[in-house]
Amino acid sequence: DIQMTQSPSTLSASVGDRVTITCRASQSISSWLAWYQQKPGKAPKLLIYKASSLESGVPSRFSGSGSGTEFTLTISSLQPDDFATYYCQQYNSYGLTFGGGTKVEIK
Amino acid sequence: QITLKESGPTLVKPTQTLTLTCTFSGFSLSTSGVGVGWIRQPPGKALEWLALIYWDDDKRYSPSLKSRLTITKDTSKNQVVLTMTNMDPVDTATYYCAQDPGGYFDYWGQGTLVTVSS
C-alpha cells in the first residue's frame, strides 16, 4: 500500500489566517489525490480531487496543489466554518489510502 | 439529488459476520464509470478504505482485509452489500458507503456505528 502522511496532525489558527496542510505519499501518485473535510459526527465532505480541482460548491478559499509525492491544501482565509479535520486520500492505486488527518483548531 | 444510506446491525458479537447494506438514489450502478465504496472510521481515528464495486462488477478490496470482505451489488434495488467475516472488537467503527466517480468519493452516506462486543 501507498502510505499517506499528513502534517501537522493538529494546527491552531485564527479566523482570517492562511492555513496550509501537507500530505506526502510514500511513492509517486501523479495527481491522483483528493482532500476531504470532516466535522465531528458527520461524514467527510469532498473538497478537492485530482490534486487541484475544486469540487462544485466548495468555497474558492480552498485550493490544492502538488504532484508526485508532495501535496498541499491551502485555506486562504480561515472562516469559523472551517474548523474541522482534513484528510488526504490517494487513488493512484488500490488499496486506496487516507492520511492520518489534520485537525484545525481555534487558536 | 444523490443520497446514500447505510443499514445493518449496530451490535455484533466477536467471530460473527457483519452484513451492511448501502441503499442509494440519484444515480445508477449500471452507468459506466460509477462505483460505490465502503470506508470505515474507528472512534477518534482516521478513515480506512475497505472495498469498492464498479458498474461493470469489478471489485476491489483492501489488501489487509481482503480475506474477510465480500462486496456485491443489486442494480435493480440500487443497493450494495458488504459482508465482513470474523468480526473483532477492533472492527468497532462507523461504516460509510460513498459514491466513487473515479477513485475518490464525492457523495457519502451518514454512516452507521457498528460495535463489536460480547
Side-chain angles (χ1 to χ4, degrees):
Chain A
D1 284 3
I2 297 174
Q3 307 304 314
M4 305 301 293
T5 304
Q6 286 184 236
S7 61
S9 56
T10 306
L11 186 160
S12 296
S14 301
V15 173
D17 284 353
R18 181 181 181 87
V19 167
T20 299
I21 298 168
T22 298
C23 179
R24 290 187 174 87
S26 60
Q27 64 188 74
S28 178
I29 58 170
S30 185
S31 295
W32 304 117
L33 185 99
W35 289 98
Y36 302 88
Q37 176 194 67
Q38 187 179 33
K39 296 181 179 179
K42 300 293 187 182
K45 173 187 174 183
L46 176 67
L47 300 175
I48 301 280
Y49 61 96
K50 207 174 178 184
S52 60
S53 296
L54 193 67
E55 173 70 352
S56 176
V58 174
S60 58
R61 63 180 179 273
F62 291 92
S63 63
S65 65
S67 66
T69 62
E70 187 148 340
F71 302 84
T72 59
L73 173 71
T74 299
I75 309 172
S76 60
S77 178
L78 197 65
Q79 299 302 300
D81 192 47
D82 302 338
F83 291 97
T85 300
Y86 293 84
Y87 293 94
C88 61
Q89 178 232 323
Q90 68 81 18
Y91 53 104
N92 178 77
S93 62
Y94 300 103
L96 308 180
T97 44
F98 290 87
T102 296
K103 185 176 182 179
V104 177
E105 297 181 327
I106 301 172
K107 190 172 185 179
Chain B
Q1 179 189 6
I2 292 175
T3 64
L4 303 95
K5 188 172 184 178
E6 307 86 353
S7 59
T10 58
L11 179 67
V12 298
K13 290 180 167 46
T15 76
Q16 286 187 336
T17 294
L18 171 68
T19 299
L20 294 172
T21 300
C22 176
T23 304
F24 56 87
S25 63
F27 68 97
S28 172
L29 246 186
S30 59
T31 300
S32 177
V34 173
V36 171
W38 287 92
I39 304 98
R40 71 178 179 180
Q41 186 172 39
K45 296 190 177 180
L47 300 163
E48 177 184 21
W49 171 69
L50 301 177
L52 263 169
I53 188 165
Y54 287 104
W55 64 281
D56 58 356
D57 210 37
D58 184 21
K59 300 170 186 177
R60 304 284 177 164
Y61 295 101
S62 165
S64 62
L65 293 167
K66 185 174 184 177
S67 63
R68 299 173 54 204
L69 296 173
T70 302
I71 191 168
T72 60
K73 63 181 175 70
D74 186 330
T75 305
S76 65
K77 292 183 179 179
N78 281 352
Q79 290 182 333
V80 170
V81 175
L82 179 76
T83 61
M84 180 180 291
T85 61
N86 194 25
M87 293 291 285
D88 183 272
V90 299
D91 296 313
T92 293
T94 296
Y95 288 75
Y96 296 98
C97 64
Q99 185 198 47
D100 170 3
Y104 56 95
F105 303 101
D106 54 359
Y107 292 92
W108 294 65
Q110 64 190 25
T112 186
L113 176 61
V114 178
T115 301
V116 184
S117 174
S118 55

